[in-house]
Amino acid sequence: MNLKSLEKRLTYLTANAIRDYRMVEDGDHIMVCLSGGKDSYAMLEMFRLLQQRAPVRFDITAVNLDQKQPGWPEHILPDYLDSLGVNYRILEQDTYSVVKSVLPEGKTMCSLCSRLRRGALYTAAEEMGMNKIALGHHRDDLVETLFLNLFYGGRLATMPPKLKSNDGKHVVIRPLAYVPEQYLEQYAGHKAFPIIPCNLCGSQPNLKRAEIKRMVQAWEQEDPNRLNVILRSMQNVRPSHLADTDLHDFAGLQGSVAPGMPDPVTGEEDAFAGLQADRVDAS
């Protein structure tokens, strides 16, 4: 796919996600979190293009968190953003040393690193008066997270396209929620983004996410539309056809025969009427 066609497809998918979840509104000031990876570079480009075409007016500020990883090329992002004329801010916080000192050797770093990074971004957003925080997670990330939670967390959950933080102060948006990763890879190649690899988590072997990613990629090779179907399933949830008693009143479901009364067909009484069973823990 050539650059023009690819960019048209990316803006279409991004605009659809923004519209469906009302991610961007008139007067928003959006923190565009820039990691140095292909996804966040593409997200920044989508926002820049949509600023020219969107029916609402919004401001963007690119923000990068310098986590003080050894060998981090500090000049690359400022040079790139200066060349675009984009407003930006580089935050500095040594989360690298914190993660390395707290976690034992061989322990997965992603969870702690993510929490520390999120805290720094939330604080900066509040200080700078930005009401939305945009992250570059794409369709494949959402699908992979769904299966990570399903296989290893015992829950049906993923990264939502739009989320309010626990303290209620921040709204996190994921405008690339509909975009396949392969489009972003192609786009990064066309645009020659100055990619900066993350040596903190990328160097860890046997990550569960990498296992899930291989599984998902194999599925996509078998059926190129499968991940889109899985994404649609996340938008078409039927609590009554799952098993969560907090989401659906299974206990209150009754047929036409009142509990304890003889069935008019069989004449038998409901043997379980009045009994109250504890929830079964199948773990």
Side-chain angles (χ1 to χ4, degrees), residues 14-70:
T14 303
N16 279 358
I18 288 174
R19 181 201 62 215
D20 289 350
Y21 295 95
R22 200 174 174 181
M23 295 184 189
V24 177
E25 298 172 283
D26 196 52
D28 278 348
H29 186 184
I30 303 170
M31 172 186 284
V32 181
C33 297
L34 201 63
S35 66
K38 67 182 188 312
D39 308 329
S40 59
Y41 279 126
M43 177 175 64
L44 176 62
E45 284 299 300
M46 293 302 102
F47 273 122
R48 294 179 69 227
L49 290 170
L50 290 172
Q51 272 188 314
Q52 303 168 21
R53 310 171 188 176
V56 298
R57 310 308 302 170
F58 62 92
D59 295 320
I60 60 173
T61 298
V63 175
N64 169 256
L65 176 60
D66 181 353
Q67 299 177 270
K68 298 304 177 184
Q69 296 180 34

Side-chain angles (χ1 to χ4, degrees), residues 144-159:
E144 290 162 14
T145 303
L146 175 72
F147 287 102
L148 271 171
N149 283 319
L150 180 64
F151 292 166
Y152 303 110
R155 60 184 177 272
L156 280 172
T158 188
M159 300 171 174

Side-chain angles (χ1 to χ4, degrees), residues 5 19 22 46 48 60 62 71 75 121 127 174-175 177 240 282:
S5 298
R19 181 201 62 215
R22 200 174 174 181
M46 293 302 102
R48 294 179 69 227
I60 60 173
H75 66 285
L121 294 173
E127 290 174 353
R174 295 182 169 95
S240 63

Side-chain angles (χ1 to χ4, degrees), residues 6 14 39 53 79 85-86 93 138 179 194 210 220:
L6 182 58
T14 303
D39 308 329
R53 310 171 188 176
D79 289 351
V86 172
Q93 185 170 321
H138 47 69
V179 178
E220 191 167 31

